[in-house]
Amino acid sequence: MKHLKVGILMTDNVVSAVPDTSFRDVAKLLAEHDITGVPVIDDDDHVVGVVSESDLLARRQLTARELMSAPAVTVHAEETAADAARLMVRRGVERLPVVDEEERLVGIVTRRDLLRVFLRPDPEIRRRIGEEVLADALGLDADAVDVHVLDGVVTLEGRVRRQGQAMTLVGLSERVDGVVAVVDRLSVDEDAARRGAPARGAHDVAW
């Protein structure tokens, strides 16, 4: 399964501040670069905090050290876009400084950047499910199951040999970049059902 990595989406020309940057200079950085926050780095390029617009609005006449939220919530470039999105939601942040193996700043990724992942065309999502899930992961023909995609919602219809195969197909389809939800209309082969496989009904699985 191929997953878009944070390193592909991030901006690598990062506007940053240092702990002694004044309130006024931080405000100028945000205005001049039309951004809503900056990471604060130390002399070794380690991220020590983040200053956002809301931090500026809440306080006055301070330095970045006193304004910033710390410790900073960061992400590594090799993490997936989906994991970064979940981290943003969980921690309630709009941006994530991206760091390397030594925790040094190498980029920044925002919610706007991550939204690009979920704007994939429906035909591309359908193609990826056929190639990466059905063919590569499960060893099935790409047309073994009918895959319908509308506005990122995937509907799977058809008959598979085993209950576990159906569950795997749904689970892997949910993880394809751009998929919003999966509607499961798969059924299990009757012979497999007679050998003790539980019956399977149609149900929706949210992404």
Side-chain angles (χ1 to χ4, degrees):
M1 297 293 290
K2 300 181 182 68
H3 294 290
L4 202 59
K5 300 299 177 75
V6 169
I8 300 297
L9 294 173
M10 73 181 189
T11 299
D12 54 13
N13 185 18
V14 190
V15 178
S16 61
V18 297
D20 290 332
T21 303
S22 68
F23 174 99
R24 180 183 179 86
D25 287 340
V26 172
K28 284 175 63 178
L29 285 174
L30 299 187
E32 290 173 359
H33 296 277
D34 192 24
I35 53 180
T36 59
V38 292
V40 182
I41 58 176
D42 63 17
D43 293 338
D44 296 317
D45 288 338
H46 294 149
V47 182
V48 295
V50 175
V51 178
S52 66
E53 284 180 330
S54 58
D55 295 323
L56 291 177
L57 293 173
R59 309 176 193 178
R60 293 294 186 271
Q61 306 304 322
L62 300 171
T63 63
R65 179 185 290 106
E66 297 162 300
L67 286 165
M68 68 187 187
S69 300
V73 182
T74 62
V75 66
H76 287 88
E78 288 303 308
E79 295 187 49
T80 67
D83 286 340
R86 284 190 283 267
L87 179 59
M88 280 187 181
V89 172
R90 188 167 67 247
R91 300 300 294 270
V93 296
E94 298 286 335
R95 68 201 60 77
L96 294 170
V98 184
V99 297
D100 62 15
E101 295 82 358
E102 297 181 2
E103 303 300 319
R104 295 175 302 192
L105 181 69
V106 295
I108 194 162
V109 66
T110 67
R111 286 195 178 190
R112 183 180 299 176
D113 296 326
L114 294 177
L115 280 175
R116 289 161 42 196
V117 177
F118 302 103
L119 295 177
R120 292 185 178 276
D122 291 341
E124 182 180 348
I125 294 174
R126 184 181 186 280
R127 178 186 62 77
R128 292 190 62 184
I129 290 176
E131 294 177 0
E132 298 177 16
V133 178
L134 290 171
D136 293 349
L138 296 178
L140 301 173
D141 291 336
D143 59 355
V145 169
D146 290 329
V147 180
H148 305 279
V149 186
L150 180 62
D151 296 333
V153 177
V154 176
T155 300
L156 302 173
E157 294 186 86
R159 188 182 301 276
V160 293
R161 296 180 59 188
R162 298 182 300 277
Q163 176 86 7
Q165 196 173 47
M167 295 174 63
T168 300
L169 175 53
V170 171
L172 292 180
S173 296
E174 289 174 330
R175 294 170 56 189
V176 170
D177 292 330
V179 171
V180 175
V182 175
V183 179
D184 175 6
R185 293 181 179 165
L186 298 168
S187 59
V188 177
D189 182 84
E190 292 180 2
D191 291 336
R194 283 197 293 269
R195 289 195 295 271
R200 183 180 183 81
H203 60 279
D204 294 352
V205 180
W207 179 83

